[in-house]
Amino acid sequence: MTVRVAMWSGPRNISTAMMRSFGARADTVVVDEPLYAHYLAATGIEHPGREEILASQPVDPAAAVSSLLAHVPAAVHYQKHMTHHLLPDVGRDWLGSVRNAFLVRDPAYVVASYSKVRGEPTLADLGYERQVEIFRAYGGPVVDAADVLRDPAGTLSRLCEALGIGWDPAMLAWPAGRRATDGVWAPHWYSAVEASTGFAAYDPRPADVPPHLRWLVDAAAALYSELSAHSL
């Protein structure tokens, strides 16, 4: 029986590196942001490669969800999700059929990074509200990006145990380059991860948050704290 892992992450996290990590397992098939096309179609938001994304995935949310529950020839089906892609019109019942997990990051670092690519991010953009919604309803293991970077083997082995899958040291390293499983948006966003061969070293420097966005860090703080209190 396939273990379906739905990993819910916000932007400017290590979500693509985490997908690389799971993709390095011989028993795992990964899927990259399978609700992205529906998100773009429903919101009308302009993102790089928008038309290619819309053509690459089901736009209908029911079809997208159906693909996540379909047979895959692997023991583990790892689903990399951006939490804000789970719009209100996407049904929630299927979340009871997967093992939900949560990748979180201190909002100060998220906002500092996100502000470099989008000048005025909103709380909804960061995904914490939706992460908390899913966590309260379905539970699941929580891992903090900082813990993964500080201790990849220890944190990932605890995550695997919590998910009910065996720990595989192959998760610590992977070949550089693009993958056939990467979304068609990879050329716009994945240059750093394509050059990587493992998780980056933890950087302890404080986040450089623009003063006009301190309110956003404060708005996300309680939501992040609720999730991080459960970090493995």
Side-chain angles (χ1 to χ4, degrees), residues 9-225:
S9 174
R12 316 311 295 177
N13 208 329
I14 58 168
S15 59
T16 309
M18 187 71 84
M19 180 175 68
R20 283 286 189 273
S21 176
F22 273 84
R25 298 173 59 105
D27 66 350
T28 299
V29 168
V30 303
V31 60
D32 193 7
E33 301 183 29
L35 299 173
Y36 196 177
H38 171 66
Y39 171 78
L40 292 182
T43 63
I45 290 175
E46 289 292 335
H47 276 194
R50 173 184 166 86
E51 294 307 314
E52 292 87 349
I53 297 167
L54 291 172
S56 72
Q57 298 177 333
V59 171
D60 173 50
V65 168
S66 179
S67 72
L68 298 177
L69 302 179
H71 172 74
V72 294
V76 180
H77 187 205
Y78 182 85
Q79 305 169 7
K80 172 198 168 192
H81 290 286
M82 289 291 100
T83 311
H84 57 284
H85 292 172
L86 188 71
L87 294 173
D89 67 332
V90 180
R92 301 297 197 260
D93 289 348
W94 67 281
L95 296 176
S97 301
V98 299
R99 299 187 189 180
N100 297 286
F102 304 86
L103 177 63
V104 299
R105 189 185 187 192
D106 183 324
Y109 292 94
V110 174
V111 172
S113 179
Y114 205 12
S115 67
K116 296 175 183 177
V117 296
R118 183 174 177 185
E120 297 296 333
T122 67
L123 183 60
D125 291 332
L126 306 187
Y128 294 105
E129 295 169 302
R130 196 60 46 78
Q131 279 184 313
V132 167
E133 173 205 327
I134 301 167
F135 181 78
R136 288 175 180 174
Y138 297 95
V142 179
V143 289
D144 195 300
D147 293 331
V148 175
L149 298 181
R150 278 191 289 250
D151 180 15
T155 304
L156 292 175
S157 63
R158 290 190 291 273
L159 174 61
C160 289
E161 181 180 6
L163 292 170
I165 60 177
W167 159 241
D168 187 345
M171 297 175 70
L172 298 177
W174 51 83
R178 193 165 296 175
R179 303 289 188 274
T181 48
D182 290 348
V184 297
W185 52 90
H188 303 284
W189 301 104
Y190 288 2
S191 58
V193 81
E194 287 171 6
S196 73
T197 56
F199 290 101
Y202 174 68
D203 184 349
R205 289 177 297 178
D208 184 16
V209 179
H212 73 285
L213 291 176
R214 284 299 324 177
W215 71 270
L216 184 54
V217 174
D218 295 340
L223 297 165
Y224 167 71
S225 294

